[in-house]
Amino acid sequence: MDALSHLVGGFAVALQPLNLGLAFVGVLVGQLVGVLPGIGPINAIAILIPLIFATGLSPESALILLAGIYYGSQYGGSISAILLNVPGEASAVVTAIDGHAMTRAGRGGPALAIAAIASFVGGTLSVFGLVLLAPLLAEWAIGFGPAEYFALMVFAFSALSTLSGGSVARGLASTALGLWLATVGLDPHSAVPRYTFGQIQLLDGMDFVVVTIGLFAVSEVLQLLEEGGAGDAAALAYGRVRISLKDLRDSMAAMLRSAGLGFLVGVLPGAGSTIAAFLAYSTEKRVAGLSGRFGQGDIRGVAAPESANNAAATGAMIPMLTLGVPGSGTTAVMLGALLGLGVTPGPLLIEQEPDLFWGLAASMYVGNVFLLLLNLPLVGVFIRALSLPRWFLMPGVTALAFVSVYAVNGSAFDLALMTLFGVVGYAMRKLGFPLAPVVLGLVLGPLMEKNLRRALALSGGEWRVLFDSPIAIALWVLALASLAAPVAIRRITDLKASDAATDATSS
């Protein structure tokens, strides 16, 4: 009953006119961001952070807006995936398999309708998971000491480094870059400058907004300019966006299973909505067996990943809010915004900032209702937005990025630094290095250093303190497992491929 009474208080926060308007704006912007390939929620949130600081929004109002962009983008990514076979989000790659096949078969309307309904089901059910599980996880995490927090952050780094794409070595290199950037500035204990290279502007450290907008938004613009093209025409005959009772009945079990799976995957640090969508799709394909037509336009192939990726977006909020560990690259950016607003996520957040947590939970339910109402009647508008030429879109994104960064400190040095990180981000993309671990290292690096120093100070410099408790040992084991799993999976796959090639040759 406590959770229910707190949730009622959360609705009182979420239904305030300002917060209600911010939730609507957030999900609308998120849906547009999801529809337009290449922008992504990280870029949108990073660009909006300086505006949030400038307008003086309260932490709960700011988080409602940013969270709306995050889960709203999961809705929007399905539209371009289904109609154009161009996923607006990485998590919509799986949706495109059967969604676009349905479009080619003249069933684009039902595919869009089931995507909207599945997104609503996954997002709504996961809100109840957030309400029930986050307080329990926070109570469990109160027993964490400095050594446990240090091990938890190592696990978060290893998970995001290995699951964010590319090789393990590249992921770890990106994490190391983020941790190095976190050390720039004055040493917190001795006040000795570190890696400032004589620049007074770096004494306060690397500005989170400057680094994030440079790495993501500016590098995205550079990459799109290299690719060229003027966008794809999207005047498609998708038909009426509606669904039959039979299609809904056939998809309901897949939506419910995928919502639960997606939520659990989202809670894991580093997993995110893309992995949730792939797991949900493969699970439903196995459940369907020979009766399924996955890959040829099976409606369950649209319902499963759409339900899972929206549930995962909500699940990723739990480790961010209760442990201070982001569950994805986007929540890493949101964590940086919360720290900038003076809010420190952790086990005591729910108790110390009840309006923020319960208001967010209630707003996510309201936002999912908004998205369901928006997604069906505004499909035509979003499709026309897909046809915007890049020569029009990219200068606007670039101008917004420069204005946002300059608005933070009014510093031309920040603009130059942002441009530098844009070039670095572009080079990392070309070389296959993931960007999300850099942000995670920059955000969690200071907290990691502080907990390591505190643990060693309490133990008199004895390193064994980092491995003394059962919780710390379990986290170290998980960190090693997350590093070893991709290598083991790759070797098993290679062995199977070589065995198959040998069998084919011998036959």
Side-chain angles (χ1 to χ4, degrees), residues 175-224:
T175 301
L177 174 60
L179 289 173
W180 174 70
L181 293 176
T183 63
V184 173
L186 294 177
D187 183 283
H189 292 274
S190 64
V192 174
R194 302 186 300 192
Y195 304 115
T196 59
F197 305 104
Q199 298 294 324
I200 297 176
Q201 295 91 336
L202 293 179
L203 289 177
D204 288 333
M206 288 289 182
D207 192 295
F208 166 78
V209 174
V210 173
V211 175
T212 305
I213 292 181
L215 280 178
F216 288 96
V218 176
S219 69
E220 188 71 42
V221 169
L222 293 174
Q223 183 163 319
L224 289 175

Side-chain angles (χ1 to χ4, degrees), residues 25-50:
V25 170
V27 298
L28 181 61
V29 171
Q31 196 163 19
L32 282 169
V33 163
V35 166
L36 296 170
I39 297 181
I42 291 183
N43 292 332
I45 289 173
I47 289 173
L48 282 176
I49 287 174

Side-chain angles (χ1 to χ4, degrees), residues 351-372:
E351 180 182 338
Q352 295 175 347
E353 302 279 355
D355 285 352
L356 186 146
F357 176 80
W358 296 105
L360 172 66
S363 76
M364 293 180 81
Y365 179 80
V366 174
N368 275 289
V369 174
F370 280 152
L371 281 166
L372 184 64

Side-chain angles (χ1 to χ4, degrees), residues 381-475:
V381 176
F382 293 133
I383 294 305
R384 283 191 288 274
L386 279 171
S387 62
L388 284 173
R390 286 179 179 170
W391 60 261
F392 175 81
L393 186 62
M394 288 303 103
V397 172
T398 305
L400 190 57
F402 274 80
V403 169
S404 299
V405 167
Y406 191 77
V408 177
N409 299 315
S411 169
F413 180 83
D414 285 351
L415 296 180
L417 198 60
M418 178 194 69
T419 305
L420 173 63
F421 278 108
V423 175
V424 170
Y426 170 75
M428 291 178 68
R429 288 173 186 264
K430 298 293 289 183
L431 297 173
F433 288 86
L435 300 180
V438 181
V439 176
L440 189 65
L442 179 63
V443 171
L444 292 187
L447 297 175
M448 189 178 187
E449 180 184 5
K450 182 169 66 176
N451 280 287
L452 175 61
R453 286 187 168 186
R454 187 178 297 167
L456 293 176
L458 291 174
S459 66
E462 179 55 63
W463 285 90
R464 281 182 299 180
V465 70
L466 300 177
F467 310 96
D468 274 351
S469 72
I471 294 176
I473 293 172
L475 291 168

